[in-house]
Amino acid sequence: MSLIKLDKVAKYYKSEETVSVGMKNISLEFDLGEFVAVTGESGSGKSTMLNVISGLDGYEDGELYLFGEETSHYTITDWEKYRGTYIGFVFQNYNIIDSYTVLQNVMLALEIQGYPAKERKPRALELIEKVGLTSHKHHKASKLSGGQKQRTVIARALAKDCPIIVADEPTGNLDSTSGAQVMKLLSDIAKDKLIIVVTHDYEQVAEYATRKIKMMDGEVVEDKKVKTVSPQFLTNVPKIKRMTFPTLFKFGLRNLLATPRKMIFMLLLQVIVMGVFTIIYTNQMQSVREADLGRSELFPSVPETRLLIEKRDGTSFTDQEVLNIGSMRYVRHVYKQADLLFNDVQVNIRSTNIFEYANMYADGTDTAEVLLASDVDGSIPVAKNEIVITTNNWSQFYIGQEVLVYVYDYGSGGELTIGNFIISGFDNLQRNDIYFSKAWIEQERTGGRVVISRYQRISSQISSNLSFTLAGTEYYAGKSWQNNPQDITFYGEGAATVQNNQSVTFKSRYNQIEYTVVMTGVSISSTATNYGFAELSQSFYDSVIQAFMVNFESLYLEDNETVMLSVSVDGIFAGRQLIKNLDSETYKIYYPSNITDPMQAFTKFMRGILAFVSLTVIGLFLYTIVHAVTRNVMNSRKKDFAIYRSIGANQMLLARLVVLEQVMLSVVGFSLTFAILTILRANVTIIRSSLIYMQFQDYFILVFAFMAFGAWLGLRFNKKVFKQSVIETLSASKGE
């Protein structure tokens, strides 16, 4: 029984306009031990016959028998198994993996056939030495000469340890010396194998050939035995083992590292797409989830970065409880003096220089620790008397300016001074908050601690009812905005003359109870009007109010106990998550920025629709870009895949390979994206406030989506490649 038998086999090539004959009515038999030379002019059909015999190409008529079995019913899988088990190839154009080294090209054949892992490298080095390329084993194939490439391909063919080796014009691109070396190598391995060499110059192979076949116009015109060959039989059928996952992983990793520019380009593309979509996604989600939120009227100065926590039993927080809350996830910092952040009063700023027109009010107050260097034009507050504010075109504040920070009651016109501060910088994000330094917030308090909100409410009611009687006339008193030299100033004519430096009794009401305060040595203007109103100088006014407030110290003055904590977080999402993690039975939690406004429900619905449309459009746009680039990269690998197939890689193996490569790219791309976003998150507030919505599961969903998308593209490419024969794929790759 012959190893290979052709019975009236024909092959036709079809194009859109014509049908040409590759070969027709070929009837030949081939056995082990033969060294067959197939000659003929160009276009005579010799390469076509070789491709059909080796399973690289199909046939239309007749029958091809392999080991006595018909092949007309063979599927792609059957031909893959045949090539992988029995055929070794040596091509005229080398068909070598240019991005691999000599060693890697030879190792590839051993890996595909499942050669034992520990024996692969020694075997590959042995074969490389046999073809005389030991000194070039680590050279990239693209840097080799033609003869060196051909010898590498022979070593790769020998590595398969297969019974049939076919060579198509193996010396066609070589000089005479290199050609002679290649033919000698082929003859050395021909003793127990079937060697079929296609050549246009029979003289090159005449010394080694045992049989000569000549073709013309697609037909065999001569079949002559030139040497006697002892009959041999195929006793040991090579067994191809499935490639293990570690080997497949090395295979995929080698492919990626062998083309670093392409790999870096693909990684960069993935990082950009992942990063852009992640930021857009989180911004859209933030917009939707916060669309129905309003500001609390009870705590108008608390921004979204802070929560207030009290214990339900009214007791003070212990140091350990403060540490426990501070160590919880989403917590940036815990402040014991919660009241010092002016939680339920509006805070105002004005210049201390009366000649400078600079004043504003703040929406909220916060600690400078929530600021990043990139957030501030200037510097982050460090000293006790430094602050960062939001500037605007009309306020005319400047860095280094001294300003007064105070709270103001518009009903009574009363003020409570917080202190004088130096502007160290401006908030670039225009959040309209005042940021106090950590040193100011955590400064030591002696004696009692003033609860600003309570003090302001009581003092506002006192100031709104403040009056005194002088020379038989009752005067209502208010604070002067001018630097008057006297404590009390009257305006108008026809007033009674009053005595200077006398005692004046002031009275006011709080909760329907009247209180009086006597101020001695009061400096008064020379005349008093009967208009019923007088202005008190700024310093005297403050001293009068303070004298009244002594009566209410038990209401606004507390011991230095931590009865309320101010907890700093990154934003709404972090605040909500922290609320879930805190024990609501133990703690009473106030989150003023997380107040739902029913009137905004429709806005939230509309933003949800807009976010869905936006993400869909952006996703499709990014998909189009990635699809186009990935497809082009895949198409550039057609030649490599054809070579893998010629060596014996089947469709399943290559499908696993492309999926694994895409998964590795996605994992590395995700890791780089995550690292970059982490760096940006730590240095750019606007990104941090957006990315807080991203949880680990969200990142994994994204990376899984990218892996699935990449794997899908790879499988599509693989399926497309296997619709063509190896020869068709190689021909197409040459044209491209």
Side-chain angles (χ1 to χ4, degrees), residues 562-596:
T562 307
V563 294
M564 179 181 281
L565 298 180
S566 179
V567 179
S568 176
V569 295
D570 279 332
I572 292 290
F573 179 82
R576 288 173 174 173
Q577 296 300 113
L578 180 59
I579 291 174
K580 293 179 182 178
N581 296 339
L582 287 167
D583 183 0
S584 60
E585 294 183 0
T586 303
Y587 302 113
K588 185 185 296 184
I589 307 159
Y590 305 96
Y591 195 9
S593 291
N594 192 35
I595 307 299
T596 302

Short mmCIF file of all heavy atoms in Angstrom, two decimals, residues 562-596:
data_model
loop_
_atom_site.label_atom_id
_atom_site.label_comp_id
_atom_site.label_asym_id
_atom_site.label_seq_id
_atom_site.Cartn_x
_atom_site.Cartn_y
_atom_site.Cartn_z
N THR A 562 -16.25 65.64 72.97
CA THR A 562 -16.57 65.41 71.57
C THR A 562 -17.98 64.85 71.48
O THR A 562 -18.20 63.65 71.60
CB THR A 562 -15.56 64.44 70.93
OG1 THR A 562 -14.25 64.91 71.18
CG2 THR A 562 -15.79 64.32 69.44
N VAL A 563 -18.96 65.74 71.29
CA VAL A 563 -20.35 65.30 71.23
C VAL A 563 -20.84 65.16 69.79
O VAL A 563 -21.87 64.55 69.54
CB VAL A 563 -21.27 66.29 71.99
CG1 VAL A 563 -20.95 66.27 73.47
CG2 VAL A 563 -21.12 67.70 71.42
N MET A 564 -20.11 65.75 68.84
CA MET A 564 -20.44 65.60 67.42
C MET A 564 -19.16 65.52 66.61
O MET A 564 -18.23 66.27 66.85
CB MET A 564 -21.30 66.77 66.92
CG MET A 564 -21.64 66.67 65.43
SD MET A 564 -22.63 68.05 64.81
CE MET A 564 -24.26 67.55 65.39
N LEU A 565 -19.13 64.58 65.67
CA LEU A 565 -17.99 64.43 64.78
C LEU A 565 -18.33 64.98 63.40
O LEU A 565 -19.46 64.83 62.92
CB LEU A 565 -17.60 62.95 64.64
CG LEU A 565 -17.16 62.21 65.90
CD1 LEU A 565 -16.82 60.76 65.54
CD2 LEU A 565 -15.99 62.88 66.56
N SER A 566 -17.35 65.60 62.77
CA SER A 566 -17.46 65.99 61.37
C SER A 566 -16.56 65.04 60.58
O SER A 566 -15.35 65.01 60.78
CB SER A 566 -17.01 67.44 61.18
OG SER A 566 -17.10 67.81 59.82
N VAL A 567 -17.16 64.25 59.70
CA VAL A 567 -16.44 63.21 58.97
C VAL A 567 -16.28 63.63 57.52
O VAL A 567 -17.26 63.93 56.85
CB VAL A 567 -17.17 61.85 59.05
CG1 VAL A 567 -16.41 60.79 58.27
CG2 VAL A 567 -17.32 61.43 60.50
N SER A 568 -15.04 63.65 57.05
CA SER A 568 -14.74 64.05 55.68
C SER A 568 -14.73 62.84 54.76
O SER A 568 -14.14 61.81 55.07
CB SER A 568 -13.37 64.75 55.64
OG SER A 568 -13.01 65.07 54.33
N VAL A 569 -15.43 62.96 53.59
CA VAL A 569 -15.48 61.90 52.58
C VAL A 569 -15.19 62.53 51.21
O VAL A 569 -15.02 63.74 51.10
CB VAL A 569 -16.85 61.20 52.56
CG1 VAL A 569 -17.09 60.46 53.86
CG2 VAL A 569 -17.97 62.20 52.30
N ASP A 570 -15.17 61.69 50.18
CA ASP A 570 -14.83 62.18 48.85
C ASP A 570 -16.01 62.75 48.07
O ASP A 570 -15.82 63.44 47.07
CB ASP A 570 -14.19 61.06 48.02
CG ASP A 570 -12.72 60.89 48.35
OD1 ASP A 570 -12.10 61.88 48.74
OD2 ASP A 570 -12.22 59.77 48.21
N GLY A 571 -17.22 62.44 48.48
CA GLY A 571 -18.36 62.93 47.72
C GLY A 571 -19.63 62.19 48.09
O GLY A 571 -19.67 61.40 49.04
N ILE A 572 -20.69 62.43 47.32
CA ILE A 572 -22.00 61.87 47.62
C ILE A 572 -21.97 60.36 47.71
O ILE A 572 -22.51 59.76 48.65
CB ILE A 572 -23.03 62.31 46.55
CG1 ILE A 572 -23.29 63.82 46.65
CG2 ILE A 572 -24.34 61.55 46.70
CD1 ILE A 572 -24.05 64.23 47.88
N PHE A 573 -21.35 59.72 46.73
CA PHE A 573 -21.34 58.26 46.72
C PHE A 573 -20.65 57.72 47.97
O PHE A 573 -21.17 56.82 48.63
CB PHE A 573 -20.63 57.74 45.47
CG PHE A 573 -20.55 56.24 45.41
CD1 PHE A 573 -21.63 55.50 44.95
CD2 PHE A 573 -19.42 55.57 45.83
CE1 PHE A 573 -21.57 54.12 44.91
CE2 PHE A 573 -19.35 54.19 45.80
CZ PHE A 573 -20.43 53.47 45.33
N ALA A 574 -19.49 58.28 48.30
CA ALA A 574 -18.77 57.82 49.48
C ALA A 574 -19.59 58.07 50.74
O ALA A 574 -19.62 57.23 51.66
CB ALA A 574 -17.42 58.54 49.58
N GLY A 575 -20.26 59.22 50.80
CA GLY A 575 -21.09 59.51 51.96
C GLY A 575 -22.22 58.51 52.12
O GLY A 575 -22.51 58.04 53.23
N ARG A 576 -22.86 58.16 51.02
CA ARG A 576 -23.95 57.19 51.08
C ARG A 576 -23.46 55.81 51.52
O ARG A 576 -24.11 55.12 52.30
CB ARG A 576 -24.63 57.10 49.71
CG ARG A 576 -25.46 58.32 49.35
CD ARG A 576 -25.96 58.23 47.92
NE ARG A 576 -26.87 59.32 47.59
CZ ARG A 576 -27.33 59.53 46.37
NH1 ARG A 576 -26.96 58.75 45.37
NH2 ARG A 576 -28.16 60.55 46.14
N GLN A 577 -22.32 55.42 50.98
CA GLN A 577 -21.77 54.11 51.37
C GLN A 577 -21.39 54.10 52.84
O GLN A 577 -21.58 53.09 53.53
CB GLN A 577 -20.55 53.79 50.50
CG GLN A 577 -20.85 53.62 49.02
CD GLN A 577 -21.84 52.51 48.77
OE1 GLN A 577 -22.95 52.76 48.33
NE2 GLN A 577 -21.45 51.29 49.06
N LEU A 578 -20.85 55.20 53.34
CA LEU A 578 -20.48 55.27 54.75
C LEU A 578 -21.71 55.16 55.64
O LEU A 578 -21.67 54.49 56.69
CB LEU A 578 -19.74 56.57 55.03
CG LEU A 578 -19.29 56.78 56.48
CD1 LEU A 578 -18.36 55.67 56.93
CD2 LEU A 578 -18.61 58.14 56.64
N ILE A 579 -22.81 55.79 55.24
CA ILE A 579 -24.04 55.69 56.01
C ILE A 579 -24.49 54.24 56.13
O ILE A 579 -24.94 53.79 57.19
CB ILE A 579 -25.14 56.55 55.36
CG1 ILE A 579 -24.81 58.04 55.52
CG2 ILE A 579 -26.50 56.26 55.97
CD1 ILE A 579 -25.75 58.96 54.78
N LYS A 580 -24.35 53.48 55.05
CA LYS A 580 -24.72 52.05 55.08
C LYS A 580 -23.85 51.27 56.05
O LYS A 580 -24.31 50.32 56.69
CB LYS A 580 -24.60 51.46 53.68
CG LYS A 580 -25.59 52.00 52.67
CD LYS A 580 -25.36 51.36 51.30
CE LYS A 580 -26.31 51.94 50.26
NZ LYS A 580 -26.07 51.35 48.92
N ASN A 581 -22.57 51.68 56.16
CA ASN A 581 -21.64 50.92 57.00
C ASN A 581 -21.72 51.29 58.48
O ASN A 581 -21.27 50.52 59.33
CB ASN A 581 -20.21 51.15 56.50
CG ASN A 581 -19.99 50.61 55.10
OD1 ASN A 581 -20.74 49.76 54.63
ND2 ASN A 581 -18.98 51.11 54.41
N LEU A 582 -22.27 52.46 58.80
CA LEU A 582 -22.37 52.89 60.19
C LEU A 582 -23.57 52.24 60.87
O LEU A 582 -24.59 51.95 60.24
CB LEU A 582 -22.49 54.41 60.27
CG LEU A 582 -21.21 55.20 59.96
CD1 LEU A 582 -21.55 56.67 59.76
CD2 LEU A 582 -20.19 55.03 61.09
N ASP A 583 -23.45 52.04 62.16
CA ASP A 583 -24.52 51.45 62.96
C ASP A 583 -25.56 52.52 63.26
O ASP A 583 -25.36 53.38 64.11
CB ASP A 583 -23.94 50.87 64.26
CG ASP A 583 -24.99 50.16 65.10
OD1 ASP A 583 -26.16 50.11 64.67
OD2 ASP A 583 -24.65 49.66 66.19
N SER A 584 -26.70 52.45 62.57
CA SER A 584 -27.72 53.49 62.74
C SER A 584 -28.40 53.43 64.09
O SER A 584 -29.05 54.40 64.50
CB SER A 584 -28.77 53.36 61.62
OG SER A 584 -29.39 52.08 61.66
N GLU A 585 -28.31 52.31 64.79
CA GLU A 585 -28.90 52.21 66.12
C GLU A 585 -28.04 52.91 67.17
O GLU A 585 -28.54 53.32 68.22
CB GLU A 585 -29.11 50.74 66.51
CG GLU A 585 -30.13 50.02 65.64
CD GLU A 585 -30.36 48.60 66.09
OE1 GLU A 585 -29.71 48.19 67.09
OE2 GLU A 585 -31.18 47.90 65.47
N THR A 586 -26.75 53.04 66.87
CA THR A 586 -25.84 53.70 67.82
C THR A 586 -25.65 55.17 67.48
O THR A 586 -25.55 56.00 68.38
CB THR A 586 -24.47 52.99 67.81
OG1 THR A 586 -24.67 51.60 68.12
CG2 THR A 586 -23.52 53.61 68.82
N TYR A 587 -25.62 55.47 66.18
CA TYR A 587 -25.27 56.83 65.76
C TYR A 587 -26.44 57.50 65.05
O TYR A 587 -27.22 56.86 64.32
CB TYR A 587 -24.08 56.80 64.81
CG TYR A 587 -22.85 56.16 65.42
CD1 TYR A 587 -22.36 54.95 64.93
CD2 TYR A 587 -22.18 56.77 66.47
CE1 TYR A 587 -21.24 54.37 65.48
CE2 TYR A 587 -21.05 56.19 67.03
CZ TYR A 587 -20.59 54.98 66.53
OH TYR A 587 -19.48 54.41 67.09
N LYS A 588 -26.52 58.80 65.24
CA LYS A 588 -27.44 59.65 64.51
C LYS A 588 -26.60 60.39 63.46
O LYS A 588 -25.66 61.10 63.81
CB LYS A 588 -28.12 60.63 65.44
CG LYS A 588 -29.21 61.49 64.77
CD LYS A 588 -29.75 62.52 65.73
CE LYS A 588 -30.45 61.87 66.91
NZ LYS A 588 -31.07 62.88 67.80
N ILE A 589 -26.95 60.20 62.20
CA ILE A 589 -26.11 60.69 61.11
C ILE A 589 -26.84 61.78 60.34
O ILE A 589 -27.99 61.61 59.94
CB ILE A 589 -25.74 59.53 60.15
CG1 ILE A 589 -25.14 58.37 60.95
CG2 ILE A 589 -24.78 60.00 59.07
CD1 ILE A 589 -25.21 57.05 60.23
N TYR A 590 -26.15 62.90 60.15
CA TYR A 590 -26.70 64.00 59.35
C TYR A 590 -25.84 64.14 58.09
O TYR A 590 -24.62 64.29 58.18
CB TYR A 590 -26.66 65.31 60.13
CG TYR A 590 -27.34 65.27 61.47
CD1 TYR A 590 -26.60 65.03 62.62
CD2 TYR A 590 -28.70 65.47 61.59
CE1 TYR A 590 -27.21 64.99 63.87
CE2 TYR A 590 -29.32 65.44 62.83
CZ TYR A 590 -28.57 65.19 63.97
OH TYR A 590 -29.17 65.16 65.18
N TYR A 591 -26.51 64.07 56.95
CA TYR A 591 -25.78 64.28 55.69
C TYR A 591 -26.55 65.33 54.90
O TYR A 591 -27.39 65.02 54.05
CB TYR A 591 -25.67 62.98 54.91
CG TYR A 591 -24.65 63.02 53.78
CD1 TYR A 591 -23.77 64.11 53.63
CD2 TYR A 591 -24.55 62.00 52.86
CE1 TYR A 591 -22.84 64.15 52.62
CE2 TYR A 591 -23.62 62.02 51.83
CZ TYR A 591 -22.78 63.11 51.72
OH TYR A 591 -21.84 63.15 50.71
N PRO A 592 -26.28 66.60 55.18
CA PRO A 592 -27.09 67.70 54.61
C PRO A 592 -27.11 67.75 53.09
O PRO A 592 -28.06 68.27 52.51
CB PRO A 592 -26.42 68.95 55.20
CG PRO A 592 -25.76 68.47 56.44
CD PRO A 592 -25.28 67.09 56.13
N SER A 593 -26.06 67.23 52.43
CA SER A 593 -26.02 67.29 50.96
C SER A 593 -26.75 66.12 50.32
O SER A 593 -26.83 66.04 49.10
CB SER A 593 -24.57 67.32 50.47
OG SER A 593 -23.96 68.53 50.80
N ASN A 594 -27.28 65.21 51.14
CA ASN A 594 -27.95 64.03 50.62
C ASN A 594 -29.46 64.12 50.86
O ASN A 594 -30.11 63.14 51.16
CB ASN A 594 -27.39 62.77 51.28
CG ASN A 594 -27.82 61.50 50.58
OD1 ASN A 594 -27.96 61.48 49.37
ND2 ASN A 594 -28.04 60.45 51.35
N ILE A 595 -29.97 65.33 50.76
CA ILE A 595 -31.40 65.55 50.95
C ILE A 595 -32.11 65.46 49.61
O ILE A 595 -31.76 66.17 48.66
CB ILE A 595 -31.66 66.93 51.59
CG1 ILE A 595 -30.84 67.09 52.88
CG2 ILE A 595 -33.14 67.12 51.85
CD1 ILE A 595 -31.16 66.09 53.94
N THR A 596 -33.10 64.58 49.53
CA THR A 596 -33.83 64.40 48.27
C THR A 596 -34.86 65.50 48.08
O THR A 596 -35.63 65.80 49.00
CB THR A 596 -34.53 63.03 48.24
OG1 THR A 596 -33.56 62.01 48.41
CG2 THR A 596 -35.26 62.82 46.93
#
